[in-house]
C-alpha cells in the first residue's frame, strides 16, 4: 500500500519543558498509546506559537487522532522508551480524523483543544508519576495543637514548602523536544461549603485553618520517597512578631515531613503527627495532624487515548436506575422479590427498562471483585442435631475467599435479629447460579445485557463522627491495590457498556478519577440526613461541600440522598449550574410522586427499588434510541413496530425481515455529552 506524507500543525501555549504530541489509530501515530505518540516540533513566528510534525500515513485509510500536551521524560533504562506524562488532552467524543489521498498534505488543526468550534479538553491521568495528597482539616479535631499558653486561643495559618529540589543549571537552554526530568509540582486547594479554590502559589503566610475548611496540598513527583516538605505556622493575627528575629511576622514554628516515611509499598493512606519546632530557641512547642493519601498509576494496565467519557453526559430526561438491581431485599420497608445484587436481580431490572443498574463491589480475601452490599455477613455454625437452632456469627466479607463465599452457608447480617436462624438459609438451597449471592464482577459483566449501564458503587470503610467504623472494620485493603484490581476488571471486560463509578468515600472517588481516563465518577453523599449518622469526613457532611468537592476533583457529578434534595431542591439547580450531573437515591425515590418531583427538578438519574412495579417488560432508553438511529439510517426500518425486550436479546434490534443488519460502530458510542459552563 502506498503512503502519503502528512504534516500536522496545532497552535497553543506550553509551560517550560512541556511539548505537544499527536496520538492516533494507526501505528505511525502510536495506536492510541501515548507512550508511542509523535512529538511535535515548535516553530515560533511573529504572531503565534505553532507545533508541527510530519508522518507517513497509508493512502486512503481513515485515521483518527487526538493532540495532547505533556512531558516526555528520560527513560528508566539506557535503551528504554521515554516515559510520558499527559498534562492535558483532547477528549471530544469524536476524535479528529483524516483520510489521506494526496502525496503531500498539510493539516492545520487550529488551536489545541478546539475541534469544529467546540473546546473539549481534560486533565491527564497518572501514567508513571505518583501523586501525594496532604490534608489539614477539622473533621475529627483541630489539626494544630500548640502547648504554649499564649497560643491556647490562637488560630493559625499554614504554608507548605517543598524543599531540596535540584535544578539543572542549563534548564532554560534545553530544547523542548529533548527528554526532560519532571519537576515536582505542588498545588494548593481549599474546599468548604461555600466554594473551592485551586492555586499553584500561596500567600507568604499561607492559608488560614478554619473548622469548615479542608486544606489540601497535591504533589506530583517521579521520586515519591525523596521529598522534604516543610509546614510553617503563623498566628492568624499577623500584627506582631511572636518570636524575636523571625523573617516573617507572626511565625510560630515549623514541622518537617520526609516523604520516605509515607511512600512505602503497600501503604496508600494514613495519618501522621508531626512535631512543631520553634526557630529560636529550637524546641518542640506543639504538633500538627496531617492525613495523606498516595495515588499510584494502575499496575499491569495502560490506558489509551481512543475514547474518554469521564466528563460527558448526553442531556436526557432522568434515567431509571435499578437499586441493587431489582431493589433492596434486606433492610427496606417493602422488600424486593428477587435477592439484591444477584445476576437475577440485575437482569430483572434490565428487562423492565432500567437504563442503568446500581450495585456494590468490594474484594474477597483472595482479591476477587465480588458484588455484595454489606462489608460483613453471617456464617452458620453446623450443629450435631438438625433439630437444634443454628448459631450465627458475623464475619467480614474480606476474611473469606471467593470459593468460600460461593460454598459456605452465609446470610445477611439482619439474620442476627431473626429468631429462626434456619429460615435465613432455606431460600439458598439448590438455587440457580443467577440467584446466588456474591457473584464475581467479571461474571456480572458477562451475564447482564450490554445495553444496560452499570453504576458501580465501590465499597470502602467509612468512619462515623462518633468514631464508629462501618462493619466495625478500622483496617481494610491497601487502597491502590484494591482499586487496581477492580478497575482492571472493568476496563478489560466492560466492552461497549456504559459505566459510571460511584463511592461514598471521597478518596476512592479521587483515586478512580486519577488512575484511569475512560469512565466517569459520581461522589455519593447522604448530605444532612435524619436517617443516617453523620460521617467523620468533612467532605461528606453536606450536599454543598459535595458539590464543591466534585468540582475540585473534576468528577462527572454527585449522587445525593433524596431526603436532602426534596427538602432543598436548590441543590439540584446549583449542581447543574456548575456543570455537574446529579443522581439521587434513597427510600423517598421509591414513591412515584417523589420521582415525578425530582424529574421536574432536573435530576439526571433516579436510583430506586422494584423497578418492575413501575414498568412492564420493555426496552430501556438506550435500546429505543438505537432503533431510532437505525430507522433514520435505513428508511426501510420505519415500518418496524415498537420493540419489546425480546427484540434486543439477539444482535438485531427488531424481528421484522428488514432488521438483518448488525449494529454499526456508531451504536457503540456512550454519548456522555456534557455542556460547558
Amino acid at each position: 500500500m502506498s503512503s502519503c506524507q502528512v504534516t500536522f500543525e496545532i497552535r497553543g501555549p506550553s509551560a517550560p519543558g512541556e511539548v505537544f504530541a499527536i496520538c492516533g489509530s494507526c501505528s505511525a501515530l502510536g495506536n492510541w498509546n501515548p507512550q508511542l505518540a509523535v512529538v511535535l516540533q515548535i516553530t515560533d513566528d511573529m504572531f503565534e506559537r505553532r507545533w508541527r510534525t510530519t508522518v507517513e500515513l497509508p493512502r486512503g485509510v481513515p485515521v483518527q487522532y487526538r493532540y495532547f500536551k505533556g512531558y516526555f521524560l528520560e527513560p528508566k533504562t539506557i535503551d528504554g522508551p521515554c516515559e510520558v506524562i499527559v498534562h492535558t488532552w483532547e477528549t471530544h467524543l469524536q476524535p479528529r480524523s483524516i483520510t489521506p489521498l494526496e502525496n503531500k498534505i498539510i493539516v492545520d488543526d487550529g488551536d489545541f483543544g478546539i475541534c469544529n468550534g467546540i473546546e473539549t479538553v481534560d486533565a491527564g491521568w497518572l501514567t508513571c508519576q505518583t501523586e501525594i495528597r496532604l490534608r489539614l482539616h477539622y473533621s475529627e479535631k483541630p489539626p494544630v495543637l500548640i502547648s504554649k499558653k499564649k497560643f491556647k486561643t490562637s488560630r493559625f495559618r499554614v504554608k507548605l514548602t517543598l524543599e531540596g529540589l535540584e535544578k539543572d543549571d542549563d534548564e532554560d537552554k534545553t530544547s523542548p523536544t529533548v527528554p526532560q526530568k519532571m519537576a515536582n509540582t505542588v498545588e494548593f486547594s481549599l474546599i468548604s461549603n461555600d466554594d473551592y479554590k485551586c492555586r499553584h502559589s500561596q500567600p507568604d503566610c499561607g492559608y488560614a485553618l478554619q473548622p469548615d475548611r479542608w486544606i489540601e496540598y497535591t504533589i506530583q513527583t517521579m521520586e515519591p520517597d525523596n521529598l522534604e516538605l516543610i509546614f510553617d505556622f503563623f498566628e492568624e493575627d499577623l500584627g506582631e512578631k511572636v518570636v524575636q528575629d523571625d523573617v516573617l511576622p507572626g511565625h510560630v514554628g515549623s514541622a518537617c515531613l520526609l516523604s520516605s516515611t509515607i511512600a512505602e509499598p503497600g501503604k496508600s493512606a494514613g495519618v501522621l503527627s508531626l512535631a512543631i519546632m520553634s526557630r529560636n530557641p529550637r524546641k518542640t512547642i506543639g504538633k500538627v495532624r496531617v492525613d495523606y493519601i498516595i495515588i499510584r498509576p494502575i499496575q499491569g494496565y495502560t490506558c489509551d487515548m481512543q475514547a474518554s467519557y469521564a466528563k460527558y453526559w448526553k442531556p436526557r430526561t432522568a434515567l431509571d436506575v435499578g437499586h441493587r438491581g431489582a431493589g433492596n431485599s434486606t433492610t427496606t420497608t417493602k422488600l424486593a422479590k428477587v435477592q439484591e445484587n444477584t445476576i437475577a436481580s440485575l437482569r430483572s431490572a434490565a428487562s423492565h427498562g432500567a437504563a442503568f443498574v446500581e450495585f456494590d463491589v468490594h474484594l474477597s480475601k483472595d482479591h476477587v471483585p465480588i458484588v455484595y452490599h454489606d462489608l460483613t455477613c453471617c456464617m452458620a455454625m453446623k450443629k450435631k442435631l438438625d433439630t437444634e437452632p443454628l448459631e450465627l456469627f458475623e464475619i467480614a466479607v474480606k476474611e473469606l475467599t471467593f470459593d468460600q463465599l460461593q460454598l459456605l452457608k452465609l446470610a445477611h447480617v439482619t439474620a442476627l435479629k431473626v429468631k429462626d436462624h434456619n429460615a435465613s438459609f432455606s431460600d439458598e438451597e439448590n438455587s440457580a447460579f443467577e440467584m446466588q449471592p456474591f457473584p464475581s464482577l467479571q461474571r456480572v459483566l458477562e451475564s447482564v445485557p450490554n445495553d444496560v449501564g452499570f453504576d458501580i458503587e465501590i465499597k470502602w470503610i467509612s468512619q462515623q463522627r462518633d468514631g464508629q467504623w462501618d462493619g466495625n472494620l478500622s483496617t481494610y485493603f491497601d487502597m491502590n491495590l484494591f482499586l487496581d484490581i477492580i478497575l482492571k476488571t472493568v476496563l478489560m471486560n466492560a466492552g461497549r457498556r456504559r459505566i459510571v463509578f460511584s463511592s461514598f468515600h471521597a478518596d476512592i472517588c479521587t483515586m478512580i478519577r486519577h488512575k484511569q481516563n475512560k469512565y466517569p465518577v459520581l461522589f455519593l453523599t447522604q448530605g444532612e440526613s435524619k436517617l443516617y449518622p453523620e460521617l467523620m469526613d468533612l467532605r461528606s457532611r453536606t450536599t454543598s461541600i459535595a458539590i464543591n468537592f466534585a468540582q475540585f476533583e473534576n468528577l462527572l457529578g454527585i449522587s445525593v440522598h433524596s431526603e436532602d434534595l426534596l427538602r432543598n431542591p436548590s441543590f439540584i439547580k446549583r449542581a447543574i449550574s456548575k456543570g455537574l450531573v446529579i443522581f439521587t437515591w434513597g427510600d423517598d425515590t421509591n414513591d412515584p410522586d417523589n420521582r415525578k418531583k425530582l424529574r421536574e427538578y432536573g435530576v439526571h438519574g433516579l436510583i430506586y427499588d422494584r423497578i418492575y412495579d413501575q414498568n412492564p417488560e420493555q426496552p430501556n432508553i438506550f435500546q429505543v434510541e438505537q432503533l431510532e438511529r437505525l430507522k433514520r439510517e435505513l428508511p426501510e426500518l420505519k415500518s418496524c413496530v415498537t420493540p419489546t425486550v425480546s427484540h434486543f436479546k439477539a444482535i438485531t434490534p427488531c424481528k421484522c425481515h428488514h432488521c438483518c443488519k448488525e449494529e454499526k460502530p456508531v451504536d457503540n458510542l456512550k454519548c456522555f455529552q456534557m455542556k460547558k459552563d
Side-chain angles (χ1 to χ4, degrees):
M1 180 183 293
S2 61
S3 62
C4 302
Q5 196 176 77
V6 183
T7 299
F8 294 95
E9 287 187 358
I10 196 79
R11 293 188 295 272
S14 63
E18 195 176 48
V19 298
F20 282 89
I22 184 172
C23 189
S25 60
C26 63
S27 58
L29 297 180
N31 288 321
W32 292 121
N33 183 354
Q35 182 95 4
L36 304 175
V38 178
V39 177
L40 279 66
Q41 309 291 325
I42 189 170
T43 57
D44 284 315
D45 59 29
M46 293 178 60
F47 306 103
E48 58 194 355
R49 176 171 266 200
R50 287 177 175 267
W51 298 78
R52 174 184 292 188
T53 191
T54 301
V55 295
E56 297 281 338
L57 297 181
R59 186 187 304 272
V61 177
V63 173
Q64 294 183 319
Y65 60 97
R66 303 180 188 274
Y67 294 101
F68 70 91
K69 185 165 54 171
Y71 302 94
F72 282 68
L73 308 180
E74 293 178 347
K76 288 184 176 180
T77 60
I78 295 176
D79 297 325
C82 292
E83 294 190 280
V84 179
I85 292 177
V86 179
H87 182 235
T88 312
W89 65 302
E90 296 182 332
T91 54
H92 300 86
L93 195 60
Q94 292 287 358
R96 300 176 189 266
S97 62
I98 182 176
T99 303
L101 298 173
E102 302 173 12
N103 291 333
K104 290 187 177 182
I105 306 170
I106 296 178
V107 181
D108 184 351
D109 278 318
D111 293 325
F112 170 69
I114 299 177
C115 186
N116 296 325
I118 299 173
E119 182 176 7
T120 309
V121 296
D122 196 8
W125 63 102
L126 295 179
T127 54
C128 55
Q129 74 275 38
T130 297
E131 186 163 296
I132 299 174
R133 301 284 189 101
L134 306 175
R135 291 85 71 88
L136 301 176
H137 53 85
Y138 281 75
S139 290
E140 187 173 356
K141 53 189 175 184
V144 175
L145 177 64
I146 304 290
S147 54
K148 282 190 174 183
K149 290 183 180 180
K150 65 187 299 184
F151 300 134
K152 286 293 184 183
T153 58
S154 296
R155 291 174 66 179
F156 301 99
R157 301 177 73 90
V158 60
K159 180 178 181 180
L160 178 71
T161 307
L162 198 55
E163 298 282 0
L165 300 184
E166 295 183 4
K167 294 185 178 180
D168 295 331
D169 295 335
D170 57 347
E171 182 178 328
D172 294 335
K173 301 176 184 178
T174 306
S175 167
T177 59
V178 173
Q180 304 288 307
K181 287 184 178 180
M182 177 188 174
N184 300 313
T185 62
V186 185
E187 187 176 81
F188 312 93
S189 308
L190 308 174
I191 312 172
S192 67
N193 271 316
D194 300 322
D195 200 3
Y196 80 98
K197 297 177 182 177
C198 294
R199 300 284 187 270
H200 288 284
S201 61
Q202 55 190 328
D204 287 341
C205 295
Y207 291 108
L209 294 168
Q210 297 176 5
D212 63 344
R213 174 183 283 179
W214 181 281
I215 298 182
E216 184 148 322
Y217 306 96
T218 301
I219 302 111
Q220 284 206 359
T221 179
M222 294 294 289
E223 300 178 308
D225 58 350
N226 195 33
L227 303 176
E228 181 182 6
L229 301 130
I230 305 296
F231 293 92
D232 282 298
F233 298 92
F234 307 84
E235 268 200 307
E236 195 168 16
D237 180 5
L238 304 180
E240 59 177 314
K241 293 185 178 181
V242 176
V243 181
Q244 190 68 27
D245 298 328
D246 274 343
V247 176
L248 293 170
H251 188 270
V252 176
S254 59
C256 177
L257 169 61
L258 298 179
S259 63
S260 57
T261 62
I262 62 175
E264 304 171 13
K267 193 173 183 180
S268 297
V271 179
L272 297 172
S273 183
L274 305 176
I276 299 177
M277 308 289 290
S278 62
R279 276 191 192 171
N280 189 13
R282 189 73 173 165
K283 63 180 182 178
T284 301
I285 59 171
K287 59 183 179 180
V288 57
R289 184 178 186 271
V290 182
D291 92 47
Y292 68 90
I293 60 170
I294 299 175
I295 314 173
R296 299 182 177 90
I298 294 181
Q299 298 299 304
Y301 184 87
T302 301
C303 295
D304 63 38
M305 286 187 154
Q306 185 171 7
S308 175
Y309 314 108
K311 290 289 289 181
Y312 284 85
W313 190 262
K314 182 177 179 178
R316 293 183 175 94
T317 56
L319 300 179
D320 291 315
V321 182
H323 181 224
R324 306 186 198 176
N328 185 337
S329 65
T330 54
T331 59
T332 193
T333 305
K334 186 177 179 181
L335 301 180
K337 62 185 180 183
V338 185
Q339 184 167 350
E340 66 184 50
N341 278 333
T342 59
I343 290 173
S345 181
L346 300 171
R347 284 176 173 173
S348 173
S351 66
H352 287 85
F356 278 77
V357 286
E358 181 270 349
F359 56 85
D360 312 272
V361 172
H362 40 122
L363 295 184
S364 64
K365 184 178 181 179
D366 51 346
H367 296 169
V368 177
I370 50 106
V371 176
Y372 192 71
H373 180 268
D374 291 67
L375 294 169
T376 61
C377 60
C378 280
M379 179 181 291
M381 293 292 289
K382 185 178 181 181
K383 293 291 187 175
K384 292 182 178 179
L385 300 176
D386 292 339
T387 56
E388 294 182 19
L390 286 174
E391 183 179 348
L392 303 182
F393 67 92
E394 190 174 359
I395 186 170
V397 173
K398 76 181 183 73
E399 299 300 331
L400 299 171
T401 67
F402 179 69
D403 286 344
Q404 289 171 334
L405 291 168
Q406 307 305 305
L407 298 173
L408 293 178
K409 278 194 169 187
L410 302 172
H412 190 266
V413 289
T414 51
L416 291 169
K417 301 177 182 179
V418 179
K419 290 184 178 180
D420 182 8
H421 291 165
N422 290 285
S424 301
F425 295 90
S426 58
D427 291 341
E428 288 188 24
E429 298 293 333
N430 301 318
S431 60
F433 88 93
E434 63 266 21
M435 298 291 290
Q436 292 287 342
F438 306 102
S440 71
L441 175 58
Q442 182 165 337
R443 187 72 175 267
V444 168
L445 284 162
E446 294 168 351
S447 303
V448 178
N450 279 331
D451 292 305
V452 180
F454 282 0
D455 177 353
I456 302 176
E457 181 187 335
I458 306 297
K459 303 295 287 189
W460 192 263
I461 55 173
S462 293
Q463 189 179 22
Q464 298 172 13
R465 201 169 184 182
D466 62 8
Q468 185 176 348
W469 289 86
D470 286 348
N472 295 316
L473 303 174
S474 58
T475 60
Y476 209 48
F477 296 96
D478 173 72
M479 195 177 283
N480 276 289
L481 173 65
F482 177 86
L483 286 176
D484 285 358
I485 293 168
I486 294 173
L487 292 175
K488 281 193 291 186
T489 300
V490 175
L491 289 164
M492 294 170 70
N493 296 282
R496 65 182 184 87
R497 189 188 303 278
R498 297 167 175 88
I499 300 287
V500 175
F501 288 109
S502 60
S503 182
F504 282 100
H505 200 284
D507 291 344
I508 290 286
C509 292
T510 296
M511 280 200 174
I512 295 173
R513 183 69 173 99
H514 289 269
K515 278 177 168 288
Q516 54 86 45
N517 64 350
K518 190 170 185 178
Y519 296 121
V521 184
L522 298 175
F523 179 38
L524 276 160
T525 180
Q526 62 194 38
E528 297 181 73
S529 173
K530 297 178 181 178
L531 300 177
Y532 299 102
E534 193 174 46
L535 296 178
M536 185 71 78
D537 193 329
L538 180 67
R539 298 166 295 179
S540 302
R541 292 184 190 167
T542 67
T543 300
S544 292
I545 201 167
I547 289 172
N548 291 330
F549 171 76
Q551 285 186 276
F552 161 62
E553 292 293 359
N554 201 22
L555 307 182
L556 178 68
I558 56 177
S559 187
V560 186
H561 189 225
S562 51
E563 174 191 4
D564 216 12
L565 297 184
L566 289 167
R567 182 173 55 240
N568 194 345
S570 64
F571 286 138
I572 301 172
K573 185 177 181 180
R574 179 182 167 191
I576 293 173
S577 72
K578 303 293 185 181
L580 298 176
V581 166
I582 183 165
F583 277 33
T584 186
W585 57 277
D587 286 347
D588 289 331
T589 60
N590 293 330
D591 184 323
D593 291 335
N594 284 335
R595 289 201 298 273
K596 183 180 178 182
K597 285 182 185 177
L598 290 163
R599 287 182 197 276
E600 291 171 352
Y601 293 153
V603 299
H604 299 91
L606 287 160
I607 304 172
Y608 62 98
D609 296 324
R610 304 182 313 279
I611 196 169
Y612 51 77
D613 286 346
Q614 175 73 18
N615 298 332
E617 284 205 0
Q618 62 183 42
N620 68 20
I621 188 170
F622 304 131
Q623 294 167 326
V624 172
E625 288 177 353
Q626 175 185 315
L627 182 62
E628 292 303 314
R629 284 197 299 269
L630 288 172
K631 284 182 177 180
R632 288 194 296 270
E633 294 171 12
L634 303 172
E636 62 268 26
L637 293 184
K638 291 183 179 179
S639 61
C640 291
V641 297
T642 302
T644 62
V645 172
S646 60
H647 288 86
F648 292 91
K649 290 181 179 177
I651 294 177
T652 54
C654 181
K655 286 188 175 180
C656 75
H657 68 279
H658 296 306
C659 298
C660 59
K661 301 196 178 196
E662 294 185 2
E663 294 179 17
K664 293 189 175 183
V666 68
D667 298 315
N668 195 18
L669 296 179
K670 295 185 173 65
C671 293
F672 291 107
Q673 183 76 42
M674 169 60 70
K675 293 182 178 179
K676 285 198 142 325
D677 291 338

